[in-house]
Amino acid sequence: LVARIGGDEFVMLCHRINQPDDLVRVGARVLEMIRPVIALEGSGELAVTASVGAAVAVRGATADSVLSDADTAMYSAKSSGGNRVQLFSQALHQRAVHSRELEVGLHRALQDRQLSVVYQPVVDLATGQVASLEALARWTHPVWGAVGPAEFIPVAEQSELIVTLGTWVLRQALQDAATWPQVKGHAAGVAVNVSPRQLSDPDFPALVAALLIETGVPGDRLCLEITETALIGDVGPVVSALRELRSLGVRLSIDDFGTGHASLSYLTQFPVDTVKIDRSFVAGVATEAGSAAIVGGVVAMAHAFGLRVVAEGAETPEQLSQLRRLGCEFAQGFVLSHPLPASVVPSALGMAVPLQAQVPTPRREESPAGLDEARRYRLLLEGARDISACLDLDSVLDRSFRALRKVISFTGGSIQLVDGDVIRLAATEPPAPPEAMQASIPLGQGIGGTIAVTGEPRYLPDITIVAALSGSKKTVSGGVRSWYGVPLVAEGRIIGLIQIDSLEVDAFDDRDQLLVLSFASVVAAAVQTARQFARELQQVQNPPSR
């Protein structure tokens, strides 16, 4: 029995189910049947996916309880990426019950003043002074005790509560900031996180304007932090809201940069003036080559667009030292200060963190090849746009080399892609012979070959140096072993790498490393787009038999 119970929700009632796995198989058959592309007369094609939740009626169950269990499983399937089947379990039930309890409790917390705001100092790494503070919501329940933000913020985001909560935090933060004293003629700013749901509200800029007037805080002392998820999909209303906010003097920051969908294009499309590097990269900046390269790449890229950079989650003096060396101007984290109660902030503003003994002076080096840093990144951006416009893989790879040639000097290089369980050459310069292009190595093997697994730049042999070909230098691009590799990361996994060969230099310039790293994300996205386009084209040319 199949019934439609909502706009896009359907229920299947299955009899004679012997095992719960039988339900999963039924759901999988449903997904398989709707997977083929649907041809619409005169208006192209349509691809359909579904999220399926399955639940078995146990002794004592009612129609409502079975529907509720299936609904819980269905939402779990959606939150896991969709287009899959999820069987209901007691663990899912407990999570759903806990989520509902948190939502009810949060409603009560907003009414009964159980919430408070604490402030995480953002420190200027040149002076040690507190430049601004980030407002963070805290919840102390009368029975449960402290409820962590990682628990209640997602619950609020799944309901309308995030708008109420966000407005309350914004008002409280501005009221507190209005009482902070000036230090050396400077008044510290306050940063407040804003949810995508708030930004999509056309009345949000007017609300911010009203709160600024109400508290007497100038717009340039407020920074609104926007997550990357707010910058995808239909961004027209978001861009309009951001421009209205900028007209108030409000500063804007992209939060957790590098973990979602943000790219070079975002830095020109959206009127932001600050980039916050996610703590997952800062955690390894002093110990992992990959994290250091990513942080350095983001810093160089942001500076090329005239943006400030804040690193979040700094916990050790070594991390601060490396952040300063890479040119990061601001940082926040436990090594500098824990979040402070509002009552302590005024006294903390007059104190300076003793950074000079911990953090060396950043290096100021001239850019190679006679190009200033901004010019090099403008050329890189032009190349990135050119590459992103390609729909076939060969063009992506060819234009990648041409773009790199404009901003960096190297005698040879290669782009290698992951195909299943092996890495193979996809492009070389100078061109490699056919037998070299057919060579491959198993994923994760070879000297330093774990780059394909860990994504950490390290010394790496050209993949054409394999047992069958190592006797001939002609099979190696540039005639040498590649010694610098940058991973191509797409959709959270390593899909290949860019390698640079050189017969002329012994060390790779730091700024070149950062430039190649920032460029690699563009190449990775273009490669994925070209592969997807090729798959879709093949489906059109060879439609599945019905």
Side-chain angles (χ1 to χ4, degrees), residues 131-182:
S132 61
L133 300 104
E134 180 181 2
L136 303 170
R138 293 293 185 265
W139 178 15
T140 303
H141 190 276
V143 176
W144 304 334
V147 183
E151 283 191 84
F152 70 83
I153 295 297
V155 171
E157 288 178 339
Q158 292 170 10
S159 67
E160 291 297 331
L161 281 175
I162 192 63
V163 175
T164 305
L165 177 62
T167 301
W168 181 84
V169 172
L170 180 59
R171 174 180 276 108
Q172 187 64 50
L174 288 174
Q175 289 175 349
D176 289 339
T179 67
W180 296 343
Q182 292 191 359

Side-chain angles (χ1 to χ4, degrees), residues 161 396 504:
L161 281 175
V396 168
E504 301 172 350

Side-chain angles (χ1 to χ4, degrees), residues 21-366:
D21 286 349
D22 292 341
L23 277 180
V24 175
R25 281 189 282 272
V26 171
R29 285 167 52 199
V30 171
L31 295 180
E32 186 65 28
M33 291 302 294
I34 67 174
R35 183 169 291 119
V37 175
I38 301 171
L40 303 177
E41 184 176 350
S43 56
E45 297 179 333
L46 182 67
V48 179
T49 61
S51 298
V52 181
V56 179
V58 296
R59 185 179 299 277
T62 65
D64 285 342
S65 68
V66 176
L67 275 175
S68 176
D69 291 347
D71 193 56
T72 297
M74 184 268 289
Y75 276 103
S76 176
K78 289 181 67 172
S79 65
S80 300
N83 202 31
R84 64 190 299 268
V85 182
Q86 175 66 58
L87 185 65
F88 176 79
S89 66
Q90 281 303 311
L92 284 180
H93 175 71
Q94 292 299 326
R95 285 202 295 269
V97 170
H98 183 58
S99 180
R100 284 194 289 270
E101 289 176 345
L102 284 176
E103 184 176 347
V104 173
L106 192 53
H107 268 291
R108 178 69 66 183
L110 286 164
Q111 298 172 3
D112 295 351
R113 298 186 179 183
Q114 298 172 13
L115 298 170
S116 61
V117 178
V118 296
Y119 297 91
Q120 176 86 58
V122 178
V123 175
D124 186 330
L125 293 183
T127 65
Q129 294 286 344
V130 175
S132 61
L133 300 104
E134 180 181 2
L136 303 170
R138 293 293 185 265
W139 178 15
T140 303
H141 190 276
V143 176
W144 304 334
V147 183
E151 283 191 84
F152 70 83
I153 295 297
V155 171
E157 288 178 339
Q158 292 170 10
S159 67
E160 291 297 331
L161 281 175
I162 192 63
V163 175
T164 305
L165 177 62
T167 301
W168 181 84
V169 172
L170 180 59
R171 174 180 276 108
Q172 187 64 50
L174 288 174
Q175 289 175 349
D176 289 339
T179 67
W180 296 343
Q182 292 191 359
V183 177
K184 298 180 180 179
H186 170 73
V190 61
V192 180
N193 291 282
V194 178
S195 76
R197 192 167 298 196
Q198 288 175 280
L199 277 180
S200 64
D201 182 351
D203 296 329
F204 181 67
L207 171 66
V208 174
L211 290 177
L212 290 173
I213 294 173
E214 175 186 313
T215 57
V217 176
D220 60 2
R221 286 186 61 197
L222 172 64
C223 178
L224 297 180
E225 298 191 355
I226 308 151
T227 59
E228 293 184 22
T229 54
L231 308 181
I232 59 176
D234 182 12
V235 297
V238 173
V239 172
S240 177
L242 296 182
R243 287 175 178 163
E244 286 188 63
L245 292 167
R246 284 303 299 266
S247 69
L248 300 173
V250 173
R251 294 180 291 111
L252 302 170
S253 171
I254 298 181
D255 198 13
D256 301 333
F257 191 86
T259 61
H261 304 271
S263 66
L264 281 167
S265 62
Y266 283 8
L267 303 184
T268 56
Q269 184 178 0
F270 298 96
V272 300
D273 53 16
T274 303
V275 170
K276 292 192 74 173
I277 302 176
D278 186 68
R279 64 181 63 246
S280 62
F281 300 123
V282 175
V285 71
T287 57
E288 301 172 5
S291 294
I294 290 171
V295 171
V298 171
V299 170
M301 182 171 59
H303 287 174
F305 288 95
L307 307 180
R308 304 191 312 170
V309 182
V310 178
E312 56 182 350
E315 297 185 352
T316 68
E318 291 76 20
Q319 290 171 355
L320 290 180
S321 177
Q322 181 73 328
L323 289 170
R324 178 69 180 276
R325 189 185 73 81
L326 294 171
C328 186
E329 309 107 296
F330 303 94
Q332 62 185 95
F334 291 166
V335 71
L336 297 166
S337 172
H338 284 69
L340 304 174
S343 59
V344 178
V345 171
S347 59
L349 291 173
M351 302 174 62
V353 179
L355 293 176
Q356 299 307 317
Q358 300 174 345
V359 184
T361 302
R363 294 181 293 176
R364 302 290 183 187
E365 299 176 355
E366 295 297 325

Side-chain angles (χ1 to χ4, degrees), residues 389-432:
C390 297
L391 290 179
D392 65 285
L393 189 58
D394 289 341
S395 297
V396 168
L397 302 173
D398 176 63
R399 295 185 189 186
S400 296
F401 275 125
R402 279 192 280 162
L404 272 178
R405 280 283 186 209
K406 294 180 181 180
V407 293
I408 197 172
S409 298
F410 58 92
T411 57
S414 65
I415 298 178
Q416 302 163 25
L417 298 179
V418 176
D419 283 339
D421 294 329
V422 299
I423 310 174
R424 66 172 186 83
L425 272 176
T428 65
E429 188 174 307

